[in-house]
Amino acid sequence: MTQPAPAPSAPRPPGPELPPATRHPWTPLLLGVLLLSLIPTVLLAYARVTHEQSQKTAALVMDYPAVAAQARRFGLDPEALLSRYQKLGVNGVGLYEDVIGNLVQRGEVILKTGADLLADVPGAPVKAQNVYLRSVVPGAAEALPARYTIPTRTVQFGGQTWVEWPTDPTFLPTGPNRELLSRLQARGLTVVYRPYADDALREPGADWPDVPFVLFNGDEVIGARTPELLAKINERLGGRLPALIEGNPQRGLDTLVATHGAARTFSVNPSWQNRLDPATLASKYNLAARERSMRLLYLRPYPTINETEALLTRTTQLLQASGVRVTQPVIAPFEENSLLRALSLLGPLAALLLLGLSLPLPRLGLLAAAGTAALAFALNKLDPFASTALIAAVTFPALGLVLRRHRVTDWFLATGLSLAGVLFVSALGANKDSVLGLEPFRGVGLTLLLPLVLVALSFLPRQDLRQTARDIYNAPIKLGDVVVMGLGLAVFALVFLRRGNATGASVSDTEAKLRQDLQDSLVRPRFKELAGHPLALVGLSGVLPGYFSALLILGGVVGQASILNTFSHFHTPLLISAQRCFLGLGAGLIAGLVAIWAVKAALRLWQTWGQRPRPVQA
């Protein structure tokens, strides 16, 4: 009886067609410099976390004029409605400076045009085009002209005294409503004062009340166009902190922040707010406080009281779950340690040199390293700390996959080096201004592009570059190659366009809902990491033939680059970025291992589909 013939084994796909990694004689020395430089970065990271943990407070500040308008629509007393909202978590109010029109509304002065007075008192010594004020509260109208540079005069007729204005003074600022201010402060509310700017004011800022925060209106602070006046405003701020509104950079604010610091403030445009349901808006306020270090959450009521109460209830719940305490924030500026930052400079430079020396063509590698350094310093105007932070952000995501990339476990080396890069980026990039969001990380686009280029250079064969160019030019290209390359470029373009919060590539409603659900329950990992890490693991496994593994490794570089990109948002607390990073790593590792098994199973099925088992011969 003959033995059955063995079934033909499925052809095993070749591993990644990549040149072996280069090990330069300087590698141990440069790695030693890198490890020593990590010591000050760990100390700096600890100091930053300690600072951020002490600042986990926020104030829920309700816009008082908006509350007053809502109360009047429903026949309620504004302060009674505010007290109702205070029980749901509101602990602050935004109080605008009074204008002359407010004095008229409260009955402290009477305002009439000259035409109206002539109609009431024919022959009165007034001009029809002018505007006239008369006191109801003794001295109220007479005290106003001294505040402004506008020429006025006093006229008397019919036994009454009027102050004549050559222009309508309705919107001229008159200082705070001190009676209302006292009542609000007596309720334990944090008052955010909102002064108006007007060129006619003689001494702007001279009568600001004793409040902790000042929130300027419009696109510039008072005095932004006049250095002398801005210097006065800077002095008159005293112990008050200016509010820094996210998404609304105000001219001249940087001068005030340099002296006083700032309170990061989050607010939503009323027209946008009315397009969002209370749960969605509450999620945004929670995200702002938890992940963007917003200390003043500036709210406005919805058109209905029920919606407003739902917003406050949900916001308070989310803030409590996030560990953010609702109270009057006591804001301390982030203190930098210049000595430890200087000691951290060597690590990224050593890593960049090691990467250049580890490329298959050392001269090309050194040229690429020098070009990377020159670009980083040029983008950051030769600032050594910001420039070296960018060098770390583009070097460490590539370094691990250049040094080793031939087995799945090499992903852990690449990830470890990326996490080391995180410490350097934080140590060198986090300072007083960047933590406030005033100094953005320059070169964010390069953090995705340059690591890909550096890893791609490591795929070059060790031969004359001209021969490599000829080989590429003469290589036969199949239609499948064109399709694969087109898909790869399209995916990278989508990732690049969506690298920021406000880009040309929006998210779908389904993805937006998924993001909200995730960020309400935990810190949401970044999509680039959830996709990039599995790609790297599949590529390193060598289960796919030909250049597919190399393409997947390049996709994995995006995941590593995203780790560094996450930590380049210095206004986000370091521990929040760490949670996001490790959630992405854990999910990416599991997905990658599952993907390797799935690809192997799919390849076996593809290669054996339709084959009948050989009959057993007797």
Side-chain angles (χ1 to χ4, degrees):
M1 185 173 180
T2 61
Q3 296 293 328
S9 60
R12 182 179 180 181
E17 298 178 354
L18 306 175
T22 301
R23 183 175 176 84
H24 195 273
W26 288 7
T27 297
L29 173 63
L30 293 174
L31 285 176
V33 172
L34 193 158
L35 289 173
L36 287 175
S37 297
L38 278 174
I39 297 173
T41 69
V42 172
L43 298 176
L44 288 168
Y46 177 78
R48 180 178 166 189
V49 169
T50 302
H51 168 79
E52 290 168 345
Q53 289 296 102
S54 70
Q55 302 289 298
K56 290 186 68 174
T57 58
L60 288 177
V61 180
M62 186 65 83
D63 186 85
Y64 186 78
V67 172
Q70 185 190 52
R72 294 188 186 101
R73 283 198 304 270
F74 292 97
L76 301 173
D77 176 71
E79 291 182 51
L81 181 59
L82 181 61
S83 179
R84 186 170 163 180
Y85 290 153
Q86 192 174 357
K87 294 176 182 177
L88 296 175
V90 169
N91 69 318
V93 288
L95 186 64
Y96 288 78
E97 181 177 8
D98 264 355
V99 295
I100 290 179
N102 296 125
L103 306 184
V104 175
Q105 290 174 352
R106 293 200 297 267
E108 297 179 21
V109 298
I110 294 174
L111 181 149
K112 284 196 174 185
T113 65
D116 290 337
L117 287 175
L118 287 171
D120 295 339
V121 185
V126 299
K127 298 177 181 178
Q129 72 273 19
N130 287 355
V131 177
Y132 295 82
L133 294 178
R134 179 170 66 84
S135 295
V136 175
V137 174
E142 290 77 14
L144 291 173
R147 296 180 58 88
Y148 315 104
T149 58
I150 300 172
T152 62
R153 71 186 184 98
T154 302
V155 296
Q156 294 181 342
F157 59 91
Q160 296 177 336
T161 301
W162 297 81
V163 180
E164 179 186 78
W165 296 76
T167 185
D168 185 356
T170 301
F171 298 104
L172 289 176
T174 62
N177 182 346
R178 295 193 180 275
E179 291 184 5
L180 175 60
L181 176 66
S182 297
R183 293 198 302 270
L184 295 174
Q185 288 178 326
R187 292 174 177 268
L189 293 165
T190 298
V191 176
V192 178
Y193 187 58
R194 305 202 62 177
Y196 289 111
D198 198 294
D199 293 337
L201 278 171
R202 292 184 186 275
E203 295 295 337
D207 58 357
W208 285 350
D210 183 16
V211 296
F213 305 106
V214 173
L215 176 55
F216 294 96
N217 300 292
D219 296 327
E220 59 185 39
V221 305
I222 297 173
R225 297 176 181 272
T226 309
E228 296 80 10
L229 178 55
L230 184 60
K232 281 187 178 181
I233 295 298
N234 198 12
E235 180 182 352
R236 287 170 179 171
L237 264 177
R240 308 172 187 91
L241 285 181
L244 173 63
I245 310 171
E246 184 181 45
N248 182 30
Q250 294 174 302
R251 181 180 177 183
L253 185 63
D254 54 342
T255 301
L256 307 182
V257 172
T259 304
H260 303 275
R264 283 177 58 81
T265 304
F266 181 73
S267 179
V268 174
N269 182 283
S271 61
W272 183 32
Q273 172 174 324
N274 289 334
R275 294 197 295 268
L276 302 174
D277 61 84
T280 300
L281 185 58
S283 178
K284 294 184 181 299
Y285 278 110
N286 175 58
L287 184 71
R290 183 185 68 188
E291 299 187 21
R292 300 208 292 275
S293 301
M294 299 296 169
R295 313 300 299 283
L296 300 178
L297 305 179
Y298 200 92
L299 305 108
R300 293 178 178 85
Y302 274 98
T304 68
I305 294 176
N306 287 341
E307 287 178 298
T308 308
E309 290 179 333
L311 167 66
L312 295 175
T313 300
R314 183 59 177 161
T315 301
T316 304
Q317 291 172 348
L318 290 175
L319 290 175
Q320 184 177 6
S322 298
V324 178
R325 192 161 51 94
V326 177
T327 184
Q328 177 175 310
V330 177
I331 300 173
F334 178 70
E335 299 292 340
E336 307 158 25
N337 188 317
S338 299
L339 175 61
L340 292 179
R341 294 179 81 199
L343 293 174
S344 304
L345 287 171
L346 287 178
L349 299 177
L352 182 61
L353 178 59
L354 175 59
L355 189 148
L357 294 173
S358 299
L359 293 180
L361 304 176
R363 291 182 182 178
L364 179 62
L366 291 175
L367 183 62
T372 298
L375 188 57
F377 277 88
L379 280 175
N380 289 280
K381 302 177 182 179
L382 303 182
D383 182 326
F385 296 120
S387 302
T388 313
L390 178 55
I391 289 174
V394 301
T395 301
F396 282 94
L399 183 59
L401 292 172
V402 169
L403 293 177
R404 290 174 58 181
R405 50 161 184 264
H406 291 283
R407 55 178 61 89
V408 172
T409 53
D410 291 341
W411 178 82
F412 293 94
L413 172 66
T415 301
L417 285 170
S418 294
L419 293 176
V422 161
L423 292 172
F424 286 109
V425 169
S426 174
L428 297 167
N431 57 43
K432 178 182 176 182
D433 289 340
S434 64
V435 167
L436 285 173
L438 284 176
E439 186 178 289
F441 188 84
R442 294 184 178 91
V444 172
L446 292 179
T447 62
L448 293 176
L449 179 61
L450 276 182
L452 283 171
V453 173
L454 293 171
V455 173
L457 290 177
S458 72
F459 294 165
L460 294 173
R462 293 190 181 92
Q463 63 181 21
D464 190 293
L465 198 56
R466 293 168 296 181
Q467 181 59 44
T468 301
R470 285 191 288 267
D471 292 344
I472 294 174
Y473 181 80
N474 294 322
I477 298 179
K478 303 174 183 178
L479 180 59
D481 298 332
V482 176
V483 172
V484 170
M485 292 177 187
L487 286 174
L489 288 174
V491 170
F492 176 73
L494 179 62
V495 169
F496 188 81
L497 286 172
R498 293 180 57 176
R499 68 190 182 278
N501 292 327
T503 66
S506 61
V507 299
S508 65
D509 292 340
T510 302
E511 184 179 349
K513 182 64 169 62
L514 178 61
R515 286 184 174 193
Q516 180 183 324
D517 292 342
L518 282 173
Q519 70 192 24
D520 285 351
S521 56
L522 46 82
V523 178
R524 176 177 59 84
R526 306 186 79 184
F527 174 77
K528 289 188 285 291
E529 295 173 36
L530 294 178
H533 297 321
L535 291 178
L537 289 163
V538 175
L540 291 169
S541 70
V543 297
L544 289 174
Y547 59 81
F548 286 101
S549 290
L551 287 179
L552 292 180
I553 289 174
L554 287 177
V557 175
V558 174
Q560 298 296 326
S562 181
I563 294 176
L564 278 295
N565 189 268
T566 294
F567 287 86
S568 67
H569 301 284
F570 301 115
H571 57 269
T572 299
L574 192 63
L575 289 183
I576 292 293
S577 295
Q579 290 178 51
R580 172 174 288 123
C581 168
F582 284 107
L583 282 172
L585 286 171
L589 175 60
I590 294 171
L593 296 177
V594 171
I596 292 172
W597 172 84
V599 170
K600 287 181 177 178
L603 287 175
R604 283 197 302 268
L605 183 63
W606 176 268
Q607 292 159 354
T608 60
W609 182 264
Q611 294 183 4
R612 295 181 178 179
R614 291 176 176 268
V616 178
Q617 296 179 357

